[in-house]
Amino acid sequence: VPTDGGAPQGLHSEFLEAAFPFWSADGKSLFFAGRQAGGSQPDLWVASFSGGPAVSTGAYTLLKKYKFSSFPREYEYRGNRLLFSAPQGDSTNLWAAELDPKSLKLSGEARRLTFGTAEECQPSVASSGALAFAALNANVDIWSLPMDTVQGSVRGSLDRLTRHAAVDHSPSISVDGGKMTFLTNRSGKS
């Protein structure tokens, strides 16, 4: 769609799924994560606005050996480098892989760029090579708020019931209000 509005134009209807689009550095192509109809594996594809078939980068084949817990969703392409955020083990870090500009195939090994414990994501690279990214830290705890359920009004102050770096969620309070169960990943398992 032109930035000033207009009718959207489809690019490749042969894809069953297409998500996470991003522009090539020259603005002539669009990268996207997608899967073609017919049960194919997901991959990172490149579609040229000048026409022709979408080209598979081979990202799925290259990246599956790194045992990411999900296919990368956030990308940035500058020069011959494809930067992406991917979860592996208990962290999500930024990675880089070389993309051959002629074949549009990923080549060589992916290289981990960051080693933090936060969710490192949303990479952006300047022409100078400066890299900016977000490092997200989330803490999910369980809170209590006394209510008058008949009147639908608050009867007291907000009280934090769990204080842990783990994810605590899905609380269930007993009918008499004396006990609560909840799900957590404190054991290291989600």
Side-chain angles (χ1 to χ4, degrees):
V1 174
T3 55
D4 60 354
Q9 174 188 349
L11 286 178
H12 285 279
S13 60
E14 73 273 19
F15 283 86
L16 183 63
E17 298 173 318
F20 314 116
F22 62 98
W23 294 96
S24 62
D26 63 9
K28 295 179 181 177
S29 300
L30 188 69
F31 287 80
F32 62 95
R35 181 177 9 195
Q36 289 182 316
S40 66
Q41 294 294 332
D43 206 349
L44 185 63
W45 297 80
V46 185
S48 171
F49 286 103
S50 61
V55 176
S56 167
T57 64
Y60 180 81
T61 302
L62 176 69
L63 299 178
K64 70 180 178 181
K65 70 180 175 181
Y66 294 96
K67 296 182 173 53
F68 295 129
S69 55
S70 67
F71 198 71
R73 296 186 309 240
E74 298 171 336
Y75 301 90
E76 177 83 4
Y77 177 56
R78 291 292 183 265
N80 294 343
R81 292 179 61 192
L82 180 70
L83 301 174
F84 57 93
S85 175
Q88 184 185 55
D90 61 356
S91 64
T92 298
N93 302 110
L94 298 182
W95 295 70
E98 298 297 314
L99 185 72
D100 183 285
K102 292 185 181 177
S103 69
L104 299 175
K105 300 285 185 193
L106 286 180
S107 60
E109 298 293 317
R111 187 170 57 96
R112 191 173 179 179
L113 301 177
T114 62
F115 295 86
T117 57
E119 180 182 342
E120 297 163 342
C121 57
Q122 303 167 348
S124 182
V125 181
S127 59
S128 67
L131 170 65
F133 63 93
L136 308 177
N137 288 301
N139 184 24
V140 179
D141 281 317
I142 297 173
W143 296 72
S144 172
L145 185 61
M147 299 284 300
D148 180 334
T149 57
V150 175
Q151 297 295 318
S153 60
V154 175
R155 292 187 308 150
S157 61
L158 189 62
D159 186 28
R160 189 175 188 173
L161 300 179
T162 63
R163 292 182 184 273
H164 197 277
V167 174
D168 299 331
H169 62 97
S170 304
S172 179
I173 300 174
S174 63
V175 175
D176 66 4
K179 294 180 183 173
M180 177 184 71
T181 63
F182 61 94
L183 299 178
T184 185
N185 68 346
R186 292 181 190 202
S187 67
K189 298 178 182 175
S190 56

